[in-house]
Amino acid sequence: MKKLRSGGSTVMFIVGAVFVVAAVLATTGFVIGTVVSGNTALLWGLLGAAVFLIIGALLLVMGFRSGAVLDERGLAWTPALGARRFIPWDRVQQVQVPGDDHPGTCVQLVLRDGSVEHVKAISKPQNSETHRRWASRGYLERGQLVSQGHQQWAAGLTTRD
């Protein structure tokens, strides 16, 4: 079993952690300021810190839960928002990994019935050109792992026949 993460989920996880830490520090500062000065107007700052804490916690959870799991049975993935999906290898005819010069925003599973499943948990970077070149390498590596997983399953199937 191999866990695959997109660059977007890692960024959400890091930004969420930064928001949570900032909220904790701000809360500590506002509580100390309120106690020392006796000024209750600082309590409004606590409200802002609470908003940061909630946003940070949501980003942290969304970043943590999104990703894909690759194993000998198939591919399961969970987008940042949405339900978990699982496609067994016996339903997959082909794995497509669109490169930078090809249309498509994520790894695609072409199923035996002709339909296409878009694995949004393994998606191409959409940011600036500099970031895209760096992150694209990771996306292509993750897509290659999915393709290899399907090929290994298919090879095992032919040796069993």
Side-chain angles (χ1 to χ4, degrees), residues 95-118:
V95 177
Q96 296 177 343
V97 185
D100 286 335
D101 53 345
H102 293 91
T105 59
C106 60
V107 170
Q108 301 167 5
L109 303 177
V110 179
L111 304 182
R112 297 199 186 281
D113 65 4
S115 62
V116 177
E117 281 286 338
H118 299 273

Side-chain angles (χ1 to χ4, degrees), residues 60-71:
L60 200 61
V61 168
M62 286 175 19
F64 181 75
R65 77 181 290 270
S66 66
V69 176
L70 174 70
D71 64 17

